[in-house]
Amino acid sequence: MTHTNAVTTKHIILLATIAYLFSFLVRMIWVFQFQDNPQFIWNDQLMINTNDGYFFASGAQKWLEGTLQYNPQTAGLFYTAAITFTAFAAKYLPFSLDTVILYMPAVISSMVVVPIILIGRLFGATTVGFLAALLGSIAWSYYNRTMIGYFDTDMFSAMAPMFILYFLIATIKSEKFIFALLSALTILIYPFLYDPGHAIIYAMGILYMLYMIVFHRKDAFTYHSILLISIGLMNIN
């Protein structure tokens, strides 16, 4: 195990980059398998492989192309992060909408490696965190629902809670206001990223509060941080 203080920011960035590329490249298997099959091609690009993805893609298309304006079944730009991020990426990056929705699940979901490695660092076990990131990023169910082409809000399903978990643990270990604030902010934006799964976030927040009250009840910081976390939790409905 590597001691936290011995691990530099450059080391963390290197490990996170390696883990991220590993996660992304494993998801490329689907592309390599079907890219030469004309039945999977539309607009010179592989088609996405989930029906719900077309609902979210139509929301981005509505904003980008000015179409579907009178279709009440088409979601708006800020309906969910999957639509917002996709629309902005297709508008400001040199990629078509078809390419963005194909690769977006792997781009977003692979970010789960960052908080996992950082959690390992918090406990002085960066190497273990790195190995956990490699494994966690391609865990069976998560991989299936975040593979390239599986364009859905599931790309945020583990990534967002893992960041919240990291900030909560960092708050406990450091007792720094900035981590409590980041915890509250990530909880606050969670519904925009992934609307299902509120129970998990509530459970994480409540467990944090119980832990702090039991083990740090004499610290004023405990109640300041609980107040911040409570504000975040009260606004996720």
Side-chain angles (χ1 to χ4, degrees):
M1 295 184 182
T2 306
H3 194 274
T4 303
N5 294 331
V7 180
T8 66
T9 300
K10 289 183 179 180
H11 290 147
I12 293 296
I13 293 174
L14 176 61
L15 292 176
T17 301
I18 293 172
Y20 182 91
L21 291 175
F22 169 78
S23 174
F24 188 89
L25 289 173
V26 170
R27 285 169 169 77
M28 283 292 292
I29 293 174
W30 188 83
V31 176
F32 296 147
Q33 184 175 2
F34 294 105
Q35 63 183 349
D36 296 324
N37 189 330
Q39 296 182 15
F40 286 78
I41 305 297
W42 179 260
N43 285 342
D44 298 321
Q45 184 57 270
L46 276 171
M47 293 187 292
I48 59 175
N49 48 43
T50 173
N51 294 335
D52 289 345
Y54 290 99
F55 168 75
F56 297 115
S58 67
Q61 183 185 38
K62 179 179 181 180
W63 182 73
L64 288 167
E65 302 177 7
T67 58
L68 308 172
Q69 299 299 317
Y70 301 103
N71 185 344
Q73 300 301 316
T74 304
L77 177 63
F78 297 106
Y79 177 78
T80 186
I83 296 176
T84 309
F85 291 176
T86 297
F88 287 168
K91 183 173 180 63
Y92 297 110
L93 296 177
F95 305 110
S96 68
L97 177 60
D98 296 283
T99 297
V100 171
I101 63 177
L102 179 69
Y103 290 99
M104 182 69 80
V107 171
I108 297 295
S109 65
S110 294
M111 290 177 63
V112 73
V113 303
V114 175
I116 295 176
I117 292 174
L118 291 176
I119 289 172
R121 188 189 191 196
L122 286 176
F123 291 98
T126 303
T127 301
V128 174
F130 172 69
L131 296 175
L134 295 179
L135 180 61
S137 65
I138 59 168
W140 186 251
S141 181
Y142 185 59
Y143 171 79
N144 284 349
R145 300 186 70 85
T146 58
M147 62 189 296
I148 287 176
Y150 201 100
F151 182 65
D152 204 343
T153 56
D154 291 279
M155 67 182 87
F156 299 100
S157 63
M159 183 273 288
M162 285 304 301
F163 270 103
I164 294 173
L165 180 61
Y166 165 68
F167 290 134
L168 289 174
I169 296 175
T171 303
I172 293 172
K173 293 185 71 67
S174 69
E175 293 196 352
K176 291 183 178 179
F177 181 81
I178 183 61
F179 286 114
L181 179 60
L182 289 172
S183 298
L185 289 175
T186 49
I187 289 172
L188 192 62
I189 66 172
Y190 175 80
F192 178 61
L193 299 175
Y194 186 68
D195 192 51
H198 286 186
I200 296 175
I201 306 305
Y202 276 119
M204 292 167 62
I206 292 171
L207 285 173
Y208 169 83
M209 296 176 192
L210 290 175
Y211 179 89
M212 293 298 284
I213 290 173
V214 171
F215 295 102
H216 299 274
R217 58 184 175 274
K218 296 182 180 179
D219 300 334
F221 174 80
T222 292
Y223 304 98
H224 295 158
S225 66
I226 286 177
L227 177 61
L228 278 174
I229 303 304
S230 298
I231 292 173
L233 290 174
M234 286 189 297
N235 287 277
I236 65 172
N237 285 328

